[in-house]
Amino acid sequence: MEHVPEQTVQELLSTIIPWFDREQAFICDTARTDFGARLAVAAALLDSGKVQEGTLLLQSIATAEKTGDEEQDSSRIRACMELAYLLMDELKYDQAENLLWEARKEYANVPELEFLREEISLLIAQCRFGQGFILEAIERAEEIMHKLKSMNADQAQVAKVYQHLGWFHLHKSDVPQAMIYLKQAMELAPSLDRELVDAGLEAEKNNDYEKAVEYYFDAIEYE
């Protein structure tokens, strides 16, 4: 990914400060040197529909030189992940995967992140799937699942892996295995959309198993 010149970042921050109220403007000013603040400003821009500006700020963090400062480097990992999400939404899975590998490589150097390295690994598996490497995506997801279980990870995290394994197997044309994984995911999920679950049960009753898997996949909620 192309490095963003610091002058470009400073000019952008000067431009957007009037878009915010006084408190947010202070964060914008702090974002000139602090990557955590810059990450917050980028998120606010993306939420308000300013995708180009928000993406540029994320890119400036992700491509910045390593500082050795844990907080700054932590923000770099988060920026890589946020950019990867945006690229995946645009179906640019190869570019997203490159960023995710960078984030995964640096993960061990930044203690006390609020997410597991396996969450990055699952996104990489999704990128492999998005590029058509279905068997490799399945293998990676299975490895992640075993690792999370060995760590006694949160059930919601295991549910997410089961959910994606179900989706991967559906596209491998192994609908029975996909159904098994999706039902395991639903058992562990924090919450479910009951309407979609009922639709899945109805589809399953009518022997439309592929449609049932799709409903079950969409029924799983994490927030």
Side-chain angles (χ1 to χ4, degrees), residues 166-201:
W167 193 250
F168 297 162
H169 275 278
L170 174 63
H171 289 81
K172 182 176 172 279
S173 298
D174 187 350
V175 179
Q177 186 61 58
M179 185 74 73
I180 290 170
Y181 278 133
L182 262 298
K183 289 191 174 181
Q184 288 174 310
M186 289 192 294
E187 287 179 7
L188 298 174
S191 62
L192 298 169
D193 184 315
R194 295 309 312 178
E195 186 175 338
L196 289 173
V197 171
D198 290 343
L201 291 170

Side-chain angles (χ1 to χ4, degrees), residues 93-129:
Y93 293 107
D94 55 340
Q95 297 179 41
E97 184 178 348
N98 290 336
L99 282 168
L100 291 166
W101 277 115
E102 183 68 22
R104 192 180 186 280
K105 182 175 66 176
E106 295 185 25
Y107 183 94
N109 299 324
V110 182
E112 297 185 4
L113 286 166
E114 74 278 10
F115 54 88
L116 297 174
R117 181 165 55 183
E118 284 67 30
E119 294 180 52
I120 304 176
S121 297
L122 183 58
L123 290 172
I124 291 172
Q126 291 174 244
C127 286
R128 300 309 289 165
F129 173 80

Side-chain angles (χ1 to χ4, degrees), residues 10-32 41 45:
Q10 299 304 323
E11 290 174 353
L12 174 59
L13 290 169
S14 295
T15 299
I16 67 176
I17 282 178
W19 301 354
F20 298 98
D21 59 30
R22 181 176 296 180
E23 182 178 348
Q24 291 172 319
F26 172 76
I27 297 175
C28 279
D29 199 43
T30 305
R32 295 184 183 279
V41 173
L45 288 169

Side-chain angles (χ1 to χ4, degrees), residues 7-190:
Q7 182 179 349
T8 301
V9 176
Q10 299 304 323
E11 290 174 353
L12 174 59
L13 290 169
S14 295
T15 299
I16 67 176
I17 282 178
W19 301 354
F20 298 98
D21 59 30
R22 181 176 296 180
E23 182 178 348
Q24 291 172 319
F26 172 76
I27 297 175
C28 279
D29 199 43
T30 305
R32 295 184 183 279
T33 57
D34 183 85
F35 288 168
R38 192 177 299 183
L39 197 63
V41 173
L45 288 169
L46 292 170
D47 287 343
S48 63
K50 303 290 186 181
V51 177
Q52 183 177 353
E53 293 84 355
T55 301
L56 186 64
L57 286 184
L58 288 176
Q59 188 176 339
S60 74
I61 304 169
T63 59
E65 294 292 332
K66 297 177 184 177
T67 64
D69 180 286
E70 289 182 2
E71 291 187 4
Q72 296 283 72
D73 290 341
S74 171
S75 295
R76 290 181 69 255
I77 293 176
R78 292 184 179 90
C80 285
M81 292 185 68
E82 292 301 324
L83 278 173
Y85 282 122
L86 293 173
L87 289 167
M88 290 169 72
D89 286 343
E90 297 174 5
L91 307 183
K92 297 177 180 178
Y93 293 107
D94 55 340
Q95 297 179 41
E97 184 178 348
N98 290 336
L99 282 168
L100 291 166
W101 277 115
E102 183 68 22
R104 192 180 186 280
K105 182 175 66 176
E106 295 185 25
Y107 183 94
N109 299 324
V110 182
E112 297 185 4
L113 286 166
E114 74 278 10
F115 54 88
L116 297 174
R117 181 165 55 183
E118 284 67 30
E119 294 180 52
I120 304 176
S121 297
L122 183 58
L123 290 172
I124 291 172
Q126 291 174 244
C127 286
R128 300 309 289 165
F129 173 80
Q131 294 172 79
F133 302 110
I134 297 175
L135 292 179
E136 184 179 341
I138 290 172
E139 290 175 1
R140 288 183 180 278
E142 287 175 343
E143 290 175 2
I144 296 164
M145 178 185 65
H146 294 313
K147 182 64 181 296
L148 289 174
K149 286 184 174 181
S150 71
M151 298 164 55
N152 293 319
D154 183 83
Q155 286 189 339
Q157 294 170 331
V158 178
K160 188 171 290 187
V161 181
Y162 276 134
Q163 181 187 23
H164 283 89
L165 273 169
W167 193 250
F168 297 162
H169 275 278
L170 174 63
H171 289 81
K172 182 176 172 279
S173 298
D174 187 350
V175 179
Q177 186 61 58
M179 185 74 73
I180 290 170
Y181 278 133
L182 262 298
K183 289 191 174 181
Q184 288 174 310
M186 289 192 294
E187 287 179 7
L188 298 174

